[in-house]
Amino acid sequence: MSTGRDLTRGPVHRAILSVTAPMVVGILGVIAVGFVDAIFLGMLGQQELAVVGFVYPVTTAIISLSIGLSAGANAALSQAIGAGATGPRVDRMGLHAMGLGLCLG
């Protein structure tokens, strides 16, 4: 699954941009969905929009939890791979991260 890119060589800003750009696009997508929902539900009426406004903090908390969990799993797996761990150890760490995400979900 390796693309052959080494993020430890070359300009730091390029490595940071290549890692953060997909996350920025994903977060903008989540915000865009909420914005479009609010527009369409606002056309339906005030009560419908109020319901979404009431549920939005809960949805945001769940999304924030999943983003934090994925960032933590990414950091742990990256450190293990960077330290030279391969095979069953990395697979087990990934499986545990996925299991924790499923349980919290």
Side-chain angles (χ1 to χ4, degrees):
M1 189 152 73
S2 175
T3 61
R5 292 186 57 195
D6 187 5
L7 295 176
T8 61
R9 301 188 191 282
V12 174
H13 70 279
R14 184 171 297 161
I16 291 173
L17 183 64
S18 68
V19 173
T20 57
M23 293 178 71
V24 169
V25 170
I27 291 171
L28 288 176
V30 169
I31 292 170
V33 166
F35 182 68
V36 170
D37 280 347
I39 289 173
F40 283 114
L41 290 171
M43 291 180 193
L44 290 176
Q46 289 181 346
Q47 286 182 332
E48 291 81 0
L49 184 58
V51 169
V52 172
F54 183 70
V55 174
Y56 187 73
V58 175
T59 306
T60 303
I62 292 170
I63 290 171
S64 297
L65 179 66
S66 67
I67 289 171
L69 181 62
S70 67
N74 188 12
L77 286 167
S78 297
Q79 287 177 357
I81 292 170
T86 59
R89 180 173 178 214
V90 175
D91 293 343
R92 188 178 48 227
M93 287 178 70
L95 183 63
H96 288 174
M98 289 173 46
L100 181 61
L102 285 173
C103 288
L104 290 176

